[in-house]
Amino acid sequence: MPATPDPVAPGRTDPLAVVTGATAGIGAAFARRLARDGYDLVLVARDATRLSGFATELTERHGRSVETLPADLSTEDGCVAVERRLTEGRPVDLLVNNAGIALTRSFLRTTVEDEARLLRLNVSSVMRLTHAVLPTMTERRAGAVINVSSVAGFGALEAGSTYSATKAWVTNFSESVGQAARPYGVRVMALCPGFTRTEFHQRAGINTSSMPGWIWLDADAVIDEGLRDLRKGRLVSVPDWKYKLAVVALRHTPQRLLHRLTRSTKVLVGRGGR
């Protein structure tokens, strides 16, 4: 059996993980990996029918207990439902905040409603669910939170896109909260993949046909490296050497030059595939 991220309290034999955005992309890959590693699961997504089918698949294949929680985390009711599950009943050993969206239009052409929904899902739900689960984890002195961010959060590379701003928040938030939680034996980490082969881009209406093959990451490899970094206690995980180099470039290239390069080449460093 592959090594788990080991966030389980002493004496617990059946760890429990909650995964949001669990029916597709990185969320589904996380669910499969964690079930294989011996976790029971609570899966959160909007589509109840799809959730039920996926839960049956995981139970039949891995023999784990899989609970489904249909919820739209861009809504107040959806957040409240998941917060309640995190704070009541069986303690959670690992929370994976994966649910998120991207907007395909510039801020100059989006609506306030679109931008507010982006913030509620990519930012507010991550804050609220992390805030809900940490008190019990710190009291037990065990547990972990993985917030799925993106390499895009390290720079404003796409003119008019507010997606990168939401991911910059997730990364900074996770790094800061992770430092506060560490003395209690609790790990909080931002997982920042680049372009990852999932259905995320197709569902978001992002045309990827002109992108070279080498730019793409495999979702399972992203999770493998992310879980290794979690075990090492890292606060931020950037899978794959080419994206590590990209982050170094983003952090040290003068902004005016960086913006000029991205305007001329239309390069996107990456939106994680959910």
Side-chain angles (χ1 to χ4, degrees), residues 70-84 116-117 120-121 124-125 127-129:
D72 182 350
L73 289 171
S74 70
T75 68
E76 178 66 18
D77 288 346
C79 269
V80 168
V82 181
E83 285 171 327
R84 185 179 299 119
R117 180 169 179 259
R120 288 194 301 269
L121 186 56
S124 182
S125 74
M127 179 274 293
R128 290 179 61 166
L129 300 191

Side-chain angles (χ1 to χ4, degrees), residues 197-208:
R197 285 202 183 277
T198 71
E199 60 191 88
F200 172 77
H201 301 93
Q202 181 180 359
R203 294 174 71 183
I206 300 169
N207 183 3
T208 61

Side-chain angles (χ1 to χ4, degrees), residues 132-203:
V133 80
L134 281 181
T136 301
M137 287 184 174
T138 54
E139 182 180 348
R140 293 165 55 220
R141 294 188 173 268
V145 179
I146 297 175
N147 294 322
V148 179
S149 187
S150 172
V151 168
F154 291 99
L157 299 179
E158 193 176 359
S161 172
T162 50
Y163 174 83
S164 61
T166 67
K167 292 308 178 181
W169 185 91
V170 171
T171 301
N172 193 299
F173 167 77
S174 303
E175 189 170 7
S176 178
V177 175
Q179 293 178 69
R182 180 179 282 162
Y184 297 92
V186 176
R187 305 168 199 171
V188 179
M189 186 187 80
L191 176 61
C192 303
F195 283 107
T196 306
R197 285 202 183 277
T198 71
E199 60 191 88
F200 172 77
H201 301 93
Q202 181 180 359
R203 294 174 71 183

